[in-house]
Amino acid sequence: MIDLRRLGYNEQVVDIEGDYLLGRIVAVHRELYKVICNSGERDAVLKASIYHHGEAGEIFPTVGDFVLIDYNASGSSRIVKTLERKSYFSRKDPDVGRGEQVVAANFDYVFILMSLNHDFNLKRLERYLAASWQSGAIPVAVLTKADLAPNYEDLVKQVADTAIGVEVIVISSKTGFGLENLNKFIQHGKTIVCLGSSGVGKSSLVNALLGEDCMKTSGIREEDSKGHHTTTHRQLLFLENGAMLIDTPGMRELGMWDITTGLGETFVDIEGLIQQCKFSDCTHHNEPGCAINEALINGDLLPTRWQSYLKLQKEAAYSDNKALYSQRVKEKAKSNAKFIKQKKQARNKDQYNKGDF
């Protein structure tokens, strides 16, 4: 029997009627879910009356979620409830173009992978940092492919200056260099989500930590030092010491959803300077006593970092509108469900009056 407390379950109280089993989502394949529970790993689908037609606005589950399932020993079980999340990572839905896509849930650390070759990109790192801090977990900057960049000290300093307060670890999954420095995070019962663009070596790192070639990997293109996209779906993997990894497909673009909290953590230096401005409503243009302008002039704040902050701040300003949009989508779903229910009741009543039953 599987003890879900070893899988990170925090024994939260669940107020729901019925004889259901507790499980954790370990993989998502379109509309089919893999759920591990006390009876082992099972295929499961969403209970349509709750997730698609229900009026409660139940949250659609993702990898890492704890759920309640209506267990079926001879076929697919049905997921009836998504439990409250302690952390989750989300982005704009790349298929819909609007709305939120939750990529992973209930993790303790975020390994932000960035390679030390031609794919090195500090602006992308800032976006991942903002999303990671927003998730509620602790980010760790993992710089991969050290074997391809023998002189990486300056790159590490650039990352440290960008990821303020975040531990930076240099590794090579190919040679094993630096992997032992990840052990402080990879602990029994802890869940780590690996994030990064395509080709940064997420699958190679997962294979190295698992000690086997579980994940498919691809070679490096000589013209741009980039790997190919190999992970095609999200899944939760179990390490020998009891830790868990959530691997996600590489994302060329990270469309932010809500980063209002993560923005402040990512740019804590800038937020501190803003607090030092003479006027509380300072626009940071030509006002006297502006700490931002002073820092830009004396070199304490790089113009590129300030511009990155302003760009992400604009995206964060839309968070309330996005939240309102999400609320309206739920309200519309409830309204549609209510309309369908009323229509069915009216049709049944009409058939009863006609004696057609």
Side-chain angles (χ1 to χ4, degrees):
M1 180 175 291
I2 298 172
D3 185 357
L4 288 178
R5 289 176 298 181
R6 295 183 178 181
L7 304 184
Y9 179 59
N10 61 0
E11 301 186 67
Q12 59 182 283
V13 177
V14 181
D15 183 17
I16 188 171
E17 297 180 357
D19 187 17
Y20 300 118
L21 290 183
L22 173 68
R24 191 175 192 189
I25 305 287
V26 297
V28 177
H29 305 273
R30 294 187 180 274
E31 297 181 357
L32 181 65
Y33 297 81
K34 292 285 186 180
V35 181
I36 189 168
C37 62
N38 285 336
S39 298
E41 187 174 301
R42 306 294 304 173
D43 288 338
V45 296
L46 301 178
K47 187 173 181 179
S49 61
I50 293 177
Y51 283 92
H52 296 292
H53 307 301
E55 299 181 15
E58 193 64 49
I59 299 174
F60 282 73
T62 190
V63 171
D65 267 323
F66 290 98
V67 296
L68 294 180
I69 63 172
D70 185 2
Y71 180 76
N72 183 355
S74 58
S76 294
S77 299
R78 293 188 299 174
I79 301 172
V80 300
K81 184 174 181 62
T82 307
L83 274 59
E84 183 179 352
R85 295 162 173 157
K86 69 177 181 180
S87 60
Y88 69 93
F89 176 79
S90 65
R91 62 171 179 169
K92 291 179 184 177
D93 194 322
D95 296 323
V96 178
R98 299 172 67 187
E100 179 184 25
Q101 181 192 56
V102 179
V103 179
N106 296 312
F107 43 88
D108 301 281
Y109 301 104
V110 181
F111 281 2
I112 304 175
L113 275 66
M114 189 167 71
S115 60
L116 288 165
N117 56 6
H118 294 176
D119 197 50
F120 188 84
N121 190 316
L122 292 176
K123 290 188 179 297
R124 184 188 299 137
L125 174 62
E126 289 171 337
R127 299 178 71 83
Y128 276 111
L129 284 168
S132 299
W133 282 120
Q134 185 72 29
S135 74
I138 299 174
V140 180
V142 181
L143 306 183
T144 65
K145 304 180 183 179
D147 54 296
L148 299 179
N151 301 313
Y152 54 74
E153 289 78 9
D154 181 62
L155 298 180
V156 174
K157 183 180 185 305
Q158 291 181 45
V159 171
D161 291 340
T162 300
I164 299 174
V166 174
E167 185 155 357
V168 181
I169 297 177
V170 179
I171 68 165
S172 169
S173 299
K174 182 177 180 179
T175 66
F177 173 78
L179 292 180
E180 70 280 1
N181 295 322
L182 298 175
N183 292 339
K184 66 181 71 175
F185 307 106
I186 305 174
Q187 297 293 323
H188 178 85
K190 298 295 183 181
T191 302
I192 300 99
V193 62
C194 295
L195 296 178
S197 61
S198 301
V200 297
K202 293 195 308 299
S203 296
S204 296
L205 173 59
V206 171
N207 285 338
L209 296 177
L210 287 171
E212 57 182 295
D213 291 334
C214 174
M215 308 297 292
K216 180 182 177 182
T217 60
S218 296
I220 300 295
R221 296 197 298 263
E222 293 183 2
E223 65 270 20
D224 58 7
S225 298
K226 291 183 179 180
H228 299 286
H229 179 110
T230 51
T231 304
T232 58
H233 61 276
R234 289 160 282 155
Q235 59 182 318
L236 187 146
L237 303 166
F238 302 91
L239 301 185
E240 188 174 348
N241 71 341
M244 292 151 283
L245 288 174
I246 297 179
D247 189 32
T248 63
M251 291 174 281
R252 291 293 184 191
E253 298 294 334
L254 180 64
M256 308 302 250
W257 181 252
D258 181 4
I259 56 166
T260 49
T261 300
L263 186 68
E265 294 287 353
T266 303
F267 296 93
V268 64
D269 54 334
I270 292 179
E271 294 279 333
L273 287 172
I274 291 174
Q275 295 298 318
Q276 298 175 31
C277 288
K278 182 176 180 180
F279 302 105
S280 59
D281 58 348
C282 183
T283 62
H284 317 300
H285 292 301
N286 299 314
E287 294 91 341
C290 175
I292 292 294
N293 284 331
E294 183 179 344
L296 289 170
I297 292 172
N298 61 29
D300 290 340
L301 176 61
L302 294 177
T304 53
R305 183 163 176 80
W306 173 240
Q307 290 304 316
S308 293
Y309 173 80
L310 293 177
K311 183 178 179 179
L312 290 179
Q313 188 183 49
K314 288 181 179 179
E315 294 189 38
Y318 288 100
S319 296
D320 290 340
N321 291 336
K322 293 170 185 175
L324 180 60
Y325 168 76
S326 180
Q327 180 181 351
R328 287 175 177 173
V329 169
K330 290 181 180 180
E331 289 175 350
K332 184 178 181 180
K334 291 180 182 180
S335 177
N336 290 341
K338 185 177 181 180
F339 174 76
I340 293 173
K341 183 177 180 180
Q342 290 174 343
K343 193 172 181 180
K344 286 182 179 179
Q345 290 175 341
R347 184 172 63 248
N348 293 336
K349 183 177 180 181
D350 185 56
Q351 290 176 345
Y352 178 84
N353 292 336
K354 291 180 180 179
D356 185 17
F357 55 89

